Amino acid sequence: MTARRPGVPPRAGALAAYARWCVRHRGRMLSFALLLAVVLGLASMKLDDRLSNGGYTVRGTQAARAEAVMARRFPVKPADLVLRVSAKEDVDAPAVARSATRLDRWLADRPGVAGVQSYWTARDPALRARDGRSALMRVDLSGDDARAARTAERIVPALAERAGSLTVEATGPTWASVQFLRLAKDDLHRAELVTVPLLLLILLLAFRSVHAALLPLAIGGLTIVATLSALVLLSEFTPVSVFAPNLTTALGLGLAIDYSLFITTRYREELARGCTVGQAVERAMASAGHTVLFSALTVALATANLLVLPLGVLRSLAMTTIVVVLMAAAATMLILPALLAVVGERITAGDPIAWLRRARRARARNGRRRPVLGFGQGAERCAHCGEALRGVAFRRSRHRCAVPESAAWRRVAALSTRRPVLVGGACALVLLLMAAPFLWVRFGIADERVLPAGTESHRTARGIHQDFAQPFDRDLHVVLPYLDSSRPAGCRRLETYARRLAALPDVTAVRTATGVHHRGDAPKKSPCPPAAEPAAEEKAGKTEAGKTEAGKALAGAYHGSAATLVSVSSPHDAQSADARELLDRVRDVRSPGRRLVAGPTPQAVDTLRALGDRLPLAGGLIAATVLMLLFLFTGGVLVSVKAVAVGALSLTASCGALVAIFQDGHLRGLLGDFTMTHQVEVVSILLTVTVAFGLSVDYEVFLLSRIREHHLATGDHTAAVVRGIAGTGRLVSVAALAVAVSTGVLAFSTNTVLKIIGVGLALSVLVDATLVRGLLVPAFMRLTGTANWWAPAPLARLHARFGVSESGPPAGPPPRPTAVRRVLAALMPPRL
């Protein structure tokens, strides 16, 4: 019979073979990794010019179709740039008008500018401030979001030199995009300066070795540069969000440290059992390597289900997360074995606080304190490696057991299993109380308010809302694509429709090609001609329509080829509840033919509705994917369902905390005094929930692998749960703390979207690693007993054939051989 390599578990397969190869060629592998990091770092420098800040609205909705019709047929459409031009005197003064007109012409001649509409050319009163000291210019830029952002970045700073005595301030989605990117870069640099030292300190305290602490950081750095360079390639095919670099740094460091911790800890355990360096690397890859690959696959597949949601920015961030996860797993599996082989037995050396440990041992020898090792105080031998922990043998040796069971986590797990109903019920009650604010959640779409109040785009937009009667982002644009208002019949139908809209509550003005209508206006003669003549309107209710420059501009703006545009103005913020109620009332008014409604409010409402329609599908796919993967790993139906249910409860609690913080305003000052919008940005919370769910499954897989390993070895389910919690509690706590630090730094970002992601991920992993893993999971598993590992016969055979495990072959009998295999086995002689 062929002898199996000593110290290597059965079914080690390709991972063990690669580990052996990597140990033999470690020098080549590390040289290749260093060269690859340099090349990828140079390639990633191109990413900044390819980032996009679009994709916050869903394509194919009624609002999106209305925007497309407006872009083709009307000059009135959402502007990429909105410029507030202020003067020391009235904007109608000749000198101010001349300067503003020159500025208008200069802007129109710039490359990348598709059109300019200003108060001084259109004479639209809505573009003039109440005090008459400022007016607006609306600039339309050509190209996609990235090209428009580069154009804005070039022309906006030059406006100050061309404005002369005028003062120009910029806002609008494109200028907000430019400032998003600038602030994101600053946040990224600050996060790197804070995160790396904190993570190094955490790893030093956890591993008690400089060498062991530096390895995960090296893998994290390679993960980041590899992901950024992959995003450069991805930008050739799809837009990449401006938040992608920040998300890459936060998740890249956290996941790389997680995966490196799993393998490095297993490597140290194997060294402590007496294996050589090569055997320890091989065993660590053959056992913990399965967990890393399985965890990465789970997070990636769970996040991939977000791609069914029809939102561009969410898909971009989901693809970024998938790339980060795969790169972290690839860097860990491909490069870490070579690093471990080079470090060798020095993985336990370089303890920065060894002097403190020696002092504690000296006090213990003097009888003042006994060491806490193994299962508890005064243990004779280590529970893992069997080495003596007391007496002369211990004093002459260096105890190298990598992860002694945590006495604190063992006590917590023992309490949970002794009182499962009390402990589990109390923990579930706490999580439900945390989740309570999620009952009144209100979702919204990101706008310039996610930036700090002092940024130019936010400050200018706020000033426009205060000083202008009709701000640029509060109009509802009703497109009537088959109504020709230049014909008498169409003109009369338009007049009737405009009066109905003007009679609605909260409508301040209705602008059409025939004039401006206000609620309660006295009846007046219809401007519609008796025959096919040019449409007319009245100005201020007195001037005959069509005879003034303003009247001609208004008629031309709201009348297209066989189509008509109606603008409905209101005083409400675009995403407020009042604005949404007004939208419903406008859509309920009977229109003269088919109508489409555009504007910021219908964009937000239709986007949230489209997401809500697809959300059950995405949630079902995520749950089904995780259930299938967990069953393949554990072989138990109940334990897999438990993992999904407990993860959902944990995430709901985290979402409730996010609502309390960002919607209700609690702890606002602690997180940098962000702008209150009384809603939660939908993209950030969906991404946070999905990634956090994947991370919770990541820790669940690691915990269940150890519980299952003890259960298979002893058959004692309760003891296996306690030992699994005690053996993994310290490691899971360190891994969760590392992820919380790397992602939690985003909580102090200047951008509210990144704040939500940072707070949500940090809170989720901390709650999951403490309340859920320490209390709720052991209590549940104690109540359900050995039923956790039960599966129907067909599923048991499926797991026996395709299941994976950290500790070797799955539980249960091997699959029954086929008839052909039985015949061949009878004919062939036995192997010697």
Side-chain angles (χ1 to χ4, degrees):
M1 188 172 183
T2 303
R4 181 167 54 87
R5 191 175 169 83
V8 180
R11 295 182 61 185
L15 292 180
Y18 173 75
R20 289 194 297 270
W21 182 89
C22 203
V23 170
R24 289 196 302 267
H25 303 88
R26 51 187 175 272
R28 295 179 183 178
M29 281 299 300
L30 293 183
S31 300
F32 171 75
L34 182 60
L35 178 62
L36 182 64
V38 173
V39 173
L40 294 177
L42 294 175
S44 66
M45 297 174 65
K46 301 178 182 179
L47 183 61
D48 286 348
D49 296 333
R50 305 189 179 196
L51 298 177
S52 169
N53 195 40
Y56 287 95
T57 56
V58 175
R59 297 179 180 179
T61 62
Q62 182 188 131
R65 294 195 298 271
E67 296 285 354
V69 173
M70 288 176 60
R72 290 196 306 267
R73 300 191 185 185
F74 301 97
V76 176
K77 55 184 177 180
D80 297 306
L81 275 178
V82 178
L83 305 176
R84 179 176 182 172
V85 182
S86 304
K88 297 180 180 179
E89 51 186 322
D90 195 279
V91 294
D92 291 319
V96 175
R98 285 193 300 270
S99 298
T101 303
R102 285 195 300 268
L103 193 62
D104 186 310
R105 292 171 182 169
W106 180 84
L107 278 172
D109 293 337
R110 296 305 93 196
V113 176
V116 180
Q117 180 191 25
S118 70
Y119 166 75
W120 294 274
T121 56
R123 290 295 172 181
D124 187 350
L127 300 178
R128 186 176 186 271
R130 293 187 183 94
D131 61 1
R133 296 298 181 91
S134 61
L136 299 182
M137 290 185 176
R138 300 160 61 96
V139 184
D140 183 31
L141 304 177
S142 59
D144 57 11
D145 293 332
R147 183 180 174 187
R150 289 194 294 271
T151 302
E153 198 169 11
R154 185 179 67 251
I155 65 175
V156 171
L159 288 173
E161 301 176 1
R162 296 282 177 175
S165 61
L166 304 178
T167 301
V168 181
E169 298 172 295
T171 187
T174 302
W175 188 238
S177 174
V178 173
Q179 297 196 309
F180 277 144
L181 183 57
R182 289 178 180 176
L183 292 176
K185 288 181 181 178
D186 295 339
D187 292 338
L188 184 59
H189 295 154
R190 284 195 298 269
E192 290 171 346
L193 291 175
V194 174
T195 305
V196 174
L198 282 177
L199 290 176
L200 180 59
L201 178 61
I202 292 171
L203 293 173
L204 283 174
L205 295 177
F207 276 129
R208 305 173 185 175
S209 168
V210 174
H211 300 92
L214 290 177
L215 294 187
L217 292 180
I219 298 298
L222 182 59
T223 299
I224 291 172
V225 296
T227 303
L228 294 178
S229 61
L231 292 179
V232 174
L233 180 62
L234 187 64
S235 66
E236 297 288 343
F237 307 98
T238 184
V240 176
S241 172
V242 294
F243 302 125
N246 301 72
L247 187 63
T248 296
T249 300
L251 282 181
L253 282 174
L255 291 174
I257 289 175
D258 263 15
Y259 298 155
S260 301
L261 275 173
F262 293 161
I263 294 180
T264 304
T265 300
R266 193 75 180 202
Y267 169 75
R268 296 178 71 180
E269 290 180 13
E270 301 304 332
L271 281 181
R273 291 189 177 105
C275 293
T276 64
V277 170
Q279 291 175 346
V281 173
E282 193 172 341
R283 283 186 61 89
M285 290 293 293
S287 54
H290 278 109
T291 302
V292 169
L293 289 179
F294 192 84
S295 300
L297 181 65
T298 303
V299 178
L301 289 180
T303 309
N305 291 306
L306 289 181
L307 298 179
V308 304
L309 299 178
L311 198 61
V313 64
L314 187 59
R315 289 177 173 176
S316 174
L317 294 178
M319 286 187 286
T320 300
T321 303
I322 295 170
V323 174
V324 171
V325 172
L326 295 180
M327 290 300 176
T332 303
M333 300 300 293
L334 297 177
I335 307 301
L336 186 59
L339 289 173
L340 291 174
V342 169
V343 174
E345 295 188 357
R346 290 172 295 173
I347 197 72
T348 58
D351 188 351
I353 55 173
W355 59 273
L356 180 59
R357 304 187 194 283
R358 287 194 295 269
R360 292 173 60 188
R361 290 172 184 170
R363 288 197 301 270
R365 286 196 298 270
N366 293 331
R368 286 176 241 168
R369 185 173 181 180
R370 291 186 297 177
V372 180
L373 293 169
F375 282 101
Q377 293 186 354
E380 295 290 340
R381 291 186 178 276
C382 176
H384 290 269
C385 63
E387 186 177 343
L389 300 180
R390 299 180 64 186
V392 178
F394 171 64
R395 289 196 294 270
R396 290 179 180 176
S397 67
R398 294 181 60 189
H399 183 67
R400 299 187 304 171
C401 185
V403 186
E405 289 188 355
S406 169
W409 280 111
R410 182 176 178 82
R411 287 192 290 269
V412 170
L415 173 64
S416 300
T417 53
R418 280 199 307 269
R419 300 287 188 270
V421 176
L422 177 62
V423 175
C427 184
L429 180 61
V430 171
L431 293 176
L432 290 174
L433 290 176
M434 291 179 61
F438 196 65
L439 295 174
W440 54 83
V441 64
R442 290 185 64 251
F443 294 113
I445 304 297
D447 53 25
E448 74 281 343
R449 292 176 296 176
V450 303
L451 292 173
T455 55
E456 183 181 7
S457 58
H458 189 164
R459 184 183 65 248
T460 304
R462 188 173 63 249
I464 292 174
H465 292 160
Q466 294 173 352
D467 300 337
F468 286 74
Q470 303 299 330
F472 67 96
D473 60 349
R474 292 185 179 177
D475 285 351
L476 296 176
H477 303 291
V478 183
V479 181
L480 305 171
Y482 303 115
L483 180 66
D484 189 353
S485 60
S486 63
R487 299 179 179 275
C491 180
R492 288 192 293 271
R493 294 168 66 192
L494 177 62
E495 277 285 294
T496 303
Y497 181 58
R499 291 193 183 100
R500 290 177 187 156
L501 293 176
L504 294 176
D506 299 330
V507 173
T508 57
V510 176
R511 298 169 179 273
T512 69
T514 61
V516 181
H517 302 263
H518 301 276
R519 186 180 184 184
D521 280 351
K524 54 189 177 184
K525 183 180 179 181
S526 173
C528 298
E533 298 177 2
E537 67 171 323
E538 292 191 33
K539 182 182 179 182
K542 299 179 181 179
T543 309
E544 184 180 354
K547 292 187 178 181
T548 65
E549 183 180 355
K552 293 177 182 178
L554 190 63
Y558 291 95
H559 172 70
S561 56
T564 300
L565 180 67
V566 178
S567 291
V568 181
S569 301
S570 76
H572 304 307
D573 288 334
Q575 296 193 51
S576 65
D578 293 333
R580 296 180 186 187
E581 291 177 4
L582 177 60
L583 172 64
D584 293 336
R585 289 194 290 266
V586 168
R587 284 177 168 173
D588 290 340
V589 172
R590 188 173 74 254
S591 61
R594 183 188 177 192
R595 61 103 180 93
L596 302 170
V597 184
T601 301
Q603 280 181 347
V605 170
D606 290 356
T607 293
L608 294 176
R609 187 171 298 158
L611 285 176
D613 293 340
R614 287 287 188 91
L615 203 55
L617 174 61
L621 289 175
I622 291 173
T625 301
V626 173
L627 275 174
M628 178 187 67
L629 293 174
L630 282 175
F631 174 76
L632 290 178
F633 192 85
T634 63
V637 173
L638 185 59
V639 73
S640 303
V641 174
K642 180 271 304 176
V644 173
V646 170
L649 177 60
S650 173
L651 291 179
T652 307
S654 300
C655 290
L658 291 179
V659 172
I661 294 171
F662 292 96
Q663 179 177 303
D664 300 340
H666 304 295
L667 302 179
R668 179 183 174 190
L670 185 62
L671 296 175
D673 198 20
F674 51 88
T675 300
M676 284 289 299
T677 60
H678 302 290
Q679 58 192 15
V680 181
E681 207 280 321
V682 66
V683 172
S684 55
I685 200 166
L686 285 177
L687 183 69
T688 299
V689 166
T690 306
V691 176
F693 186 66
L695 291 175
S696 70
V697 174
D698 186 11
Y699 301 142
E700 181 83 8
V701 165
F702 185 66
L703 172 61
L704 291 178
S705 67
R706 296 302 178 93
I707 294 177
R708 184 169 175 269
E709 181 179 353
H710 294 309
H711 177 64
L712 292 176
T714 64
D716 189 339
H717 174 73
T718 302
V721 172
V722 174
R723 290 194 64 183
I725 297 291
T728 62
R730 179 170 171 267
L731 180 58
V732 169
S733 300
V734 172
L737 184 59
V739 173
V741 169
S742 62
T743 58
V745 174
L746 296 178
F748 301 98
S749 170
T750 54
N751 191 300
T752 306
V753 172
L754 293 178
K755 281 181 183 292
I756 295 175
I757 294 175
V759 172
L761 288 178
L763 186 62
S764 296
V765 297
L766 291 178
V767 169
D768 190 79
T770 53
L771 290 178
V772 175
R773 299 288 158 251
L775 299 174
L776 191 57
V777 168
F780 183 91
M781 296 191 73
R782 172 65 178 83
L783 288 173
T784 51
T786 56
N788 284 288
W789 314 108
W790 173 84
L795 292 181
R797 289 193 294 269
L798 178 67
H799 179 260
R801 184 174 181 85
F802 299 106
V804 294
S805 173
E806 177 178 311
S807 56
R816 181 177 300 176
T818 62
V820 175
R821 288 184 177 179
R822 287 198 298 269
V823 172
L824 292 177
L827 294 177
M828 295 183 67
R831 298 176 64 182
L832 299 178

